[in-house]
Amino acid sequence: MPAGATYGKAAFNTSSQNNLKLYTFVDNHDTGSTQQHWELKWENVPLAYTFILTHPGFPCVAWQHYFSEDKDFRAGIQKWQYRGSEIISGTDKTFREHIDYLIDLRKSVGIEYDDSVTVLASTATNYAAKITGTSGEIVVKIGGDSWSPSGTGYAGNYPIYSGTNFAIWQKGNAGVEPVKVKVVLSAT
């Protein structure tokens, strides 16, 4: 994000009264990955998909982020553009699996173009919002701050999915407790 911008401002701009006309996308053939115009830093692309696939609107997935060069290469396209088989930082999922997981979550919660978004946190380094779909509710955090939701259905819960600089909680779902690793140092 540019200096002075906040994650909350991004949410405000995409949660307007014109959601019926709002197609959200991270990248396409006219922008970053193929033309290298307005290109996002690669480490921010998974965060952008976390945002657009969990928020109201009509999200679109870029071909080159979903497919991998080894299986889905098309003639005339640069092989380096295909990122679908790369692992998302902080997870064990490939980019394609990350997108599939978020699409499945969107469907299970019933997130549509006009659903409710309540911004819960908005700072220069952290954004969190509650999204209420037709079949459930999630809280999404994007940013590196230590933040977690509270209240009925969330208190004491772990995220259902998380990675570097993002986490998602689902109301009424206890999530998965993070694996605790014990480090033992020995003098040899």
Side-chain angles (χ1 to χ4, degrees), residues 21-84:
K21 300 175 185 175
L22 180 67
Y23 289 86
T24 54
F25 66 94
V26 173
D27 198 359
N28 68 26
H29 63 276
D30 291 326
T31 60
S33 63
T34 54
Q35 299 294 322
Q36 297 179 327
H37 299 299
W38 316 290
E39 191 170 17
L40 281 174
K41 290 182 180 179
W42 182 245
E43 63 269 16
N44 291 334
V45 174
L47 304 177
Y49 276 109
T50 301
F51 183 88
I52 71 164
L53 291 172
T54 60
H55 282 66
F58 296 100
C60 301
V61 174
W63 175 281
Q64 60 272 26
H65 295 159
Y66 192 74
F67 294 103
S68 56
E69 66 175 293
D70 57 335
K71 296 179 184 174
D72 306 301
F73 181 70
R74 288 177 40 202
I77 302 294
Q78 301 291 327
K79 286 185 176 187
W80 59 266
Q81 295 170 350
Y82 286 96
R83 310 299 284 262

Side-chain angles (χ1 to χ4, degrees), residues 124-178:
T125 58
N126 196 57
Y127 163 79
K130 176 176 67 173
I131 299 89
T132 305
T134 59
S135 309
E137 179 181 288
I138 58 174
V139 170
V140 177
K141 177 193 77 98
I142 300 173
D145 292 2
S146 175
W147 184 94
S148 61
S150 59
T152 304
Y154 292 105
N157 289 356
Y158 298 103
I160 58 167
Y161 180 47
S162 64
T164 301
N165 291 330
F166 76 91
I168 302 170
W169 292 262
Q170 187 172 17
K171 187 173 185 174
N173 186 333
V176 178
E177 183 174 1

